[in-house]
Amino acid sequence: MQDTEQIDLNRIPRHVAIIMDGNGRWAKQRGHERSFGHQAGAETVHIIAEEAARLGIKYLTLYTFSTENWNRPSEEVAALMSLLFESIEEETFMKNNISFRIIGDIAKLPANVQERLQACVEHTSANTGMCLVLALSYSARWEITEATRQIARLIKDGTLQPEQIDSGLISQHLATNFMPDPDLLIRTGGEIRLSNYLLWQCAYSELYFCDTYWPDFHAEELRKAICDYQKRERRFGKTSEQIK
Ligand code: IPE
Ligand code: IPE
Ligand code: MG
């Protein structure tokens, strides 16, 4: 396992997005209910948030609950919602100077969860360290559909001309408009797919897939992903010679 010594602290990805997958299988492997895996996964969120802040990552965007996850058995959805309510630890954020934000169709969440999340967003908004973003009731297609609606309204009321639409304008209407695109996208749990996460924003992100189930994805696993990222050459369509 590589350690922090090998990470170039001058080339830390600004924005790391993570698809936290594998909680259910982690629990099953241990003969437990899926919700046991979600509980363990919530602890990993705190460990990884602290480590990311320590490393100097500016934005950490965690895929926490997708639009499609509403279709899971109602008991599992309910367990996830109560876990969400219980595991918002404002003290950890304050201690680490982390500001907390949420993206997604928040109105779909239970009222008590919405209030709890909103309070945490407000209380941590002046923190100047890392921004921790939870994607909740989120999917990229939901987000792009919403952005399209907003832009269509601007055109309808005459504030915008179709010719003025460019990729920058579209980005401005996405839920992620306050942060840069992810430099690195990590998916734990062994699946090699994006599951409707940040599809527009990850157009040029470096992708990192690992088999580790999310509850076992600890600080050293994050450092390993960053070391791997730092070995890559990001060309953005240019040639290697142009980059050097
Ligand atoms: C990720 O773990 C957490 C959520 C999607 C809410 P899973 O619950 O998808 O775990 P697996 O993939 O079934 O193991
Ligand atoms: C993606 O995981 C969503 C989150 C991690 C919140 P899933 O477990 O829902 O993804 P699929 O269904 O296997 O693609
Ligand atoms: Mg899964």
Side-chain angles (χ1 to χ4, degrees):
M1 195 70 58
Q2 284 135 321
D3 60 41
T4 323
E5 270 38 86
Q6 287 165 277
I7 291 183
D8 179 351
L9 291 172
N10 296 312
R11 286 195 308 123
I12 292 291
R14 255 199 314 170
H15 179 177
V16 175
I18 308 184
I19 302 174
M20 310 184 286
D21 198 22
N23 292 350
R25 282 164 287 161
W26 182 90
K28 201 172 163 194
Q29 221 176 39
R30 285 160 177 77
H32 290 288
E33 297 286 315
R34 295 176 56 83
S35 58
F36 181 74
H38 295 316
Q39 271 170 22
E43 284 167 32
T44 304
V45 168
H46 291 109
I47 295 170
I48 292 301
E50 284 197 286
E51 179 66 4
R54 204 179 66 78
L55 286 169
I57 290 167
K58 290 284 172 241
Y59 299 90
L60 180 67
T61 318
L62 303 178
Y63 204 8
T64 307
F65 191 84
S66 73
T67 303
E68 290 75 21
N69 288 151
W70 286 115
N71 300 319
R72 290 195 177 188
S74 55
E75 312 79 61
E76 180 168 348
V77 172
L80 279 164
M81 291 303 143
S82 4
L83 181 63
L84 191 56
F85 184 83
E86 289 156 18
S87 46
I88 299 300
E89 278 179 22
E90 225 169 274
E91 309 79 58
T92 315
F93 302 151
M94 295 313 286
K95 195 177 78 193
N96 294 284
N97 195 20
I98 292 173
S99 66
F100 176 71
R101 306 218 21 181
I102 349 161
I103 54 169
D105 195 358
I106 307 306
K108 286 225 167 72
L109 301 172
N112 66 333
V113 175
Q114 287 186 47
E115 283 159 23
R116 183 76 169 248
L117 292 167
Q118 207 45 54
C120 188
V121 169
E122 283 161 24
H123 295 158
T124 63
S125 66
N127 289 347
T128 53
M130 186 181 78
C131 181
L132 172 68
V133 184
L134 296 192
L136 283 169
S137 191
Y138 172 90
S139 71
R141 287 185 178 181
W142 163 81
E143 180 187 40
I144 294 168
T145 306
E146 282 301 307
T148 308
R149 274 201 195 123
Q150 286 173 26
I151 294 170
R153 277 189 215 111
L154 294 177
I155 291 182
K156 192 179 170 202
D157 70 20
T159 357
L160 188 76
Q161 297 304 311
E163 298 69 33
Q164 291 174 286
I165 300 177
D166 57 15
S167 73
L169 183 116
I170 294 172
S171 294
Q172 279 166 33
H173 285 86
L174 297 176
T176 51
N177 59 9
F178 57 94
M179 49 185 171
D181 288 341
D183 300 295
L184 171 62
L185 172 75
I186 298 171
R187 182 174 187 139
T188 66
E191 312 295 355
I192 317 289
R193 55 178 173 251
L194 298 177
S195 304
N196 216 348
Y197 193 42
L198 301 173
L199 297 183
W200 172 275
Q201 298 87 338
C202 285
Y204 259 108
S205 305
E206 294 299 324
L207 309 182
Y208 180 91
F209 297 96
C210 67
D211 289 335
T212 312
Y213 293 143
W214 176 249
D216 287 334
F217 190 86
H218 290 309
E220 64 275 15
E221 292 269 349
L222 176 66
R223 294 197 292 267
K224 194 175 157 200
I226 293 172
C227 283
D228 191 277
Y229 163 85
Q230 291 186 332
K231 289 193 201 106
R232 304 186 190 182
E233 180 181 61
R234 303 185 73 189
R235 291 192 286 278
F236 298 100
K238 295 182 178 173
T239 67
S240 190
E241 289 67 30
Q242 283 177 297
I243 303 301
K244 285 185 176 112

